């Protein structure tokens, strides 16, 4: 089920990546690095607002539906989540818009403020999209999430961006494209929920007590998610502040390419998250820990070839966007490594989200602190590469702390070789790439070939399967 849902989502992410690549290329070539940087900085603020405004609903909605009382329909729980998250995100929308209006009117700040003002409404829109599409995944329906996020949103965005440029709306073209695409996806998400979740004969009645309880449950998860999002975005803001808006534009392109490993993780989240909820309920923390370990192994095996390939093609790929973009090649490798670390080992955060959210928050805040400390030292010395290195350091510290806490608090001990062997195989493949770096085609073949052969040898020697195992499914 995980692989079937992941395969459907992976196809969607491939389509989305094609659109994102086209969007970034058009943005760099038509709008320039400066306007692209203003858009990237503003979008990072909005994405963080979406995490805060969601109040953890996109993660906990499965638990809320599974644990609903008798006589309550799933659609009623979804409406509760919409009320809760919609109210919080509306407050954030107003706050962000007000802040944009108060930004000092220098040329660069004005570009960022304009983008932020146009993007502010999408905080509410994107929160509602997340909640509604998550509700469809509770019924193991993945196609609505794929079509909405991976087909409609990116391709509508690129069409609007091109039309805005043709119409001469250069300053607002990029944020306008995101706003219009978000509205279209929201309409689709509403229709999807109406189709997937049947009506109930009992009328819906909101309850302040119930909403307060949901907010209390979601708050620690929300703080943890926002902290995690802060780690993933503070580097972009610091690059913009310390190196300039054009550098932020280049770094923004680097981050969008490096995000591919995270999308590999997200491609299986559609099925993985509700299954973790089921497994925790029926097999406890130890059983869920073993199952999650198998998912971590699968994610590492899938993600590491991306890093190997980018070590060869990363710089030429960035140069396609324009002069000077190749300067982000080193940052691209470091950021990709950071996304692999968090995308793989971060699966275990689901145990914290469902069992000890406040403890998970402490682990996340540790990663934030490490990343912030490293960024203050590395960015002035190494520029964009320093910013990426700070993100990698923060995620690595978080992964180590997470492993220690899971063992001491929940008694979950990592299976030997789950991470160490795939990482060792990846390191050997990177060594082959470095040995032939003067011959890019040969380096790419040698790196991926070494990885595939070593992986096959490990599988035959150990008899291990790379499929995720041990999950419990009580499908609705």
């Amino acid at each position: 089920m995980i692989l079937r849902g992941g395969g459907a989502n992976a196809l969607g992410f491939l389509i989305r990546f094609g659109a994102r690549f086209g969007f970034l290329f058009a943005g760099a070539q038509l709008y320039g690095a400066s306007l692209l940087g203003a858009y990237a900085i503003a979008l990072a603020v909005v994405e963080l607002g979406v995490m805060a405004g969601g109040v953890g609903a996109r993660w906990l909605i499965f638990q809320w539906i599974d644990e609903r009382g008798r006589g309550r329909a799933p659609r009623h729980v979804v409406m509760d989540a919409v009320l809760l998250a919609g109210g919080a995100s509306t407050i954030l929308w107003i706050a962000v818009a007000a802040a944009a209006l108060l930004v000092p009117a220098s040329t660069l700040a004005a570009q960022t403020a304009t983008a932020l003002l146009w993007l502010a409404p999408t905080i509410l829109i994107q929160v509602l999209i997340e909640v509604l599409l998550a509700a469809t995944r509770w019924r193991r329906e993945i196609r609505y999430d794929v079509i909405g996020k991976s087909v409609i949103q990116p391709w509508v965005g690129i069409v609007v961006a091109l039309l805005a440029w043709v119409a001469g709306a250069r300053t607002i073209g990029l944020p306008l494209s995101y706003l219009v695409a978000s509205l279209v996806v929201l309409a689709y998400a509403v229709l999807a929920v109406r189709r997937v979740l049947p009506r109930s004969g009992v009328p819906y009645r909101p309850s302040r007590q119930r909403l307060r309880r949901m907010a209390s449950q979601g708050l620690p998860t929300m703080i943890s998610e926002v902290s995690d999002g802060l780690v993933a975005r503070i580097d972009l803001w610091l690059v913009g502040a310390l190196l300039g808006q054009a550098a932020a534009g280049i770094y923004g392109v680097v981050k969008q390419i490096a995000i591919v490993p995270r999308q590999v993780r997200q491609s299986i989240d559609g099925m993985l998250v509700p299954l973790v909820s089921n497994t925790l309920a029926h097999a406890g923390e130890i059983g869920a820990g073993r199952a999650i370990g198998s998912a971590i192994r699968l994610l590492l095996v899938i993600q590491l070839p991306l890093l190997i390939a980018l070590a060869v093609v990363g710089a030429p790929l960035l140069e396609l966007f324009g002069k000077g973009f190749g300067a982000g090649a080193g940052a691209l490798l470091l950021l990709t490594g950071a996304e692999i670390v968090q995308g793989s080992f971060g699966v275990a955060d689901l145990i914290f989200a469902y069992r000890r959210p406040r403890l998970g928050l402490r682990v996340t805040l540790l990663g934030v602190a490490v990343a912030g400390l490293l960024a203050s030292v590395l960015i002035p010395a190494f520029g964009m590469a320093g910013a990426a290195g700070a993100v990698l350091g923060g995620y690595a510290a978080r992964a180590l702390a997470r492993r220690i806490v899971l063992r001491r608090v929940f008694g979950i001990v990592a299976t030997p070789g789950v991470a160490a062997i795939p990482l060792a195989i990846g390191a050997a493949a990177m060594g082959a790439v470095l040995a032939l770096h003067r011959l890019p085609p040969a380096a790419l073949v040698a790196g991926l070939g070494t990885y595939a052969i070593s992986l096959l040898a490990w599988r035959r020697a150990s008899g291990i399967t790379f499929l995720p195992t041990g999950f419990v499914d009580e499908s609705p």
Side-chain angles (χ1 to χ4, degrees):
M1 182 177 292
I2 292 174
L3 292 180
R4 185 172 67 248
N9 244 337
L11 177 60
F13 279 123
L14 185 61
I15 297 170
R16 189 192 301 186
F17 180 74
R20 177 180 284 117
F21 191 87
F23 181 85
L24 292 173
F25 184 80
Q29 295 290 327
L30 301 178
Y31 291 88
S34 184
L35 281 174
L36 186 62
Y39 169 75
I41 293 171
L43 184 60
V45 174
V46 166
E47 289 173 340
L48 202 64
V50 172
M51 295 177 186
V55 200
R58 67 170 177 165
W59 299 108
L60 296 177
I61 193 168
F62 307 106
Q63 182 181 14
W64 290 338
I65 296 177
D66 287 336
E67 296 177 355
R68 69 187 186 279
R70 293 186 61 184
R72 294 202 70 221
R75 185 180 285 202
H76 291 172
V77 179
V78 175
M79 293 175 74
D80 281 341
V82 165
L83 278 178
L84 175 65
S89 56
T90 299
I91 294 172
L92 287 171
W93 166 12
I94 296 171
V96 169
L101 293 172
L102 297 175
V103 171
S106 66
T107 303
L108 296 182
Q111 291 178 351
T112 302
T114 300
L116 194 57
L117 194 60
W118 279 86
L119 288 173
T122 62
I123 294 176
L124 170 61
I125 298 168
Q126 287 292 328
V127 164
L128 295 179
I129 290 171
E130 291 288 350
V131 172
L132 294 174
L133 292 181
T136 65
R137 296 201 309 272
W138 177 75
R139 292 294 300 267
R140 309 298 187 258
E141 294 282 358
I142 199 70
R143 65 182 184 273
Y144 299 106
D145 198 292
V146 172
I147 293 173
K149 294 180 181 178
S150 300
V151 179
I152 298 176
Q153 180 161 330
W155 289 102
V156 169
I158 194 171
V159 169
V160 175
L162 291 173
L163 291 176
W165 183 83
V166 171
R170 309 294 166 81
T171 304
I172 66 170
L174 294 175
L176 178 64
S177 68
Y178 189 80
L179 175 60
V180 173
S182 298
L183 286 170
V184 175
V185 177
L186 177 59
Y188 174 78
V190 171
L191 293 175
V193 170
R194 288 173 62 89
R195 177 172 295 182
V196 172
L197 297 182
R199 290 180 177 272
S200 171
V202 181
Y204 169 71
R205 294 178 180 175
S207 165
R208 291 184 181 180
Q209 182 179 2
R210 188 167 58 240
L211 291 176
R212 282 197 296 267
R213 184 173 64 252
M214 292 171 66
S216 177
Q217 292 174 340
L219 186 61
T221 299
M222 179 269 285
I223 295 175
S224 180
E225 187 179 9
V226 170
S227 301
D228 189 24
L230 186 62
V231 173
R233 289 163 180 81
I234 195 171
D235 54 329
L236 176 63
W237 296 330
L238 289 175
V239 166
L242 299 176
L243 305 179
Q245 197 166 273
I250 296 173
Y251 193 71
V253 170
V254 168
K255 287 182 73 70
Q256 289 300 316
I257 297 175
I259 208 173
V260 174
R262 185 190 304 180
Q263 293 180 334
V264 172
R265 155 72 190 277
Q266 290 173 341
S267 70
I268 74 169
D269 267 352
M271 293 293 102
L272 181 63
V273 176
L275 285 176
V276 169
S277 176
N278 268 272
T279 305
L280 277 169
H282 294 86
E285 291 87 355
I286 302 296
R290 294 194 187 102
I292 287 174
S294 69
I296 290 173
R297 180 176 58 228
L298 172 68
L299 285 165
L300 283 173
V301 167
I302 295 173
Q303 291 175 326
L304 286 172
L306 298 172
L307 181 63
I308 297 166
L310 284 176
V312 179
V313 305
L317 182 63
L318 287 172
E319 288 292 348
L320 294 175
F321 290 89
K323 184 179 179 180
F325 278 80
L332 177 59
L333 284 180
L334 291 170
L335 275 179
T336 303
E339 292 292 350
I340 289 174
V341 169
Q342 177 59 15
S344 299
F345 298 104
V347 177
D349 283 337
L350 292 170
I351 294 179
F352 292 129
Y354 287 117
R355 288 292 185 264
R356 298 284 294 275
R358 297 183 188 278
L359 187 58
L361 174 59
R362 295 176 188 174
V363 173
T364 300
L365 291 177
L366 173 64
V368 174
V370 171
L373 179 62
L374 290 175
S376 65
V377 176
L378 296 179
I379 292 179
F382 301 103
M384 288 184 283
V391 176
L392 176 58
Y395 281 151
R398 182 176 172 184
L400 179 60
R402 183 190 297 115
R403 181 172 180 174
I404 293 172
V405 172
L406 287 173
R407 183 177 67 247
R408 292 183 176 178
V409 176
F410 297 104
I412 299 173
V413 180
T415 304
V418 163
I421 294 179
L423 290 174
I425 291 174
M430 288 295 289
V433 168
L434 293 175
L436 297 170
H437 71 280
R438 296 182 182 277
L439 301 169
L444 183 61
V445 172
L448 295 178
T450 299
Y451 183 80
I453 293 171
S454 301
L455 203 63
L456 182 60
W458 174 40
R459 181 179 180 181
R460 288 186 174 179
S462 63
I464 197 170
T465 175
F466 298 135
L467 299 177
T469 58
F471 287 97
V472 177
D473 178 34
E474 296 291 335
S475 300

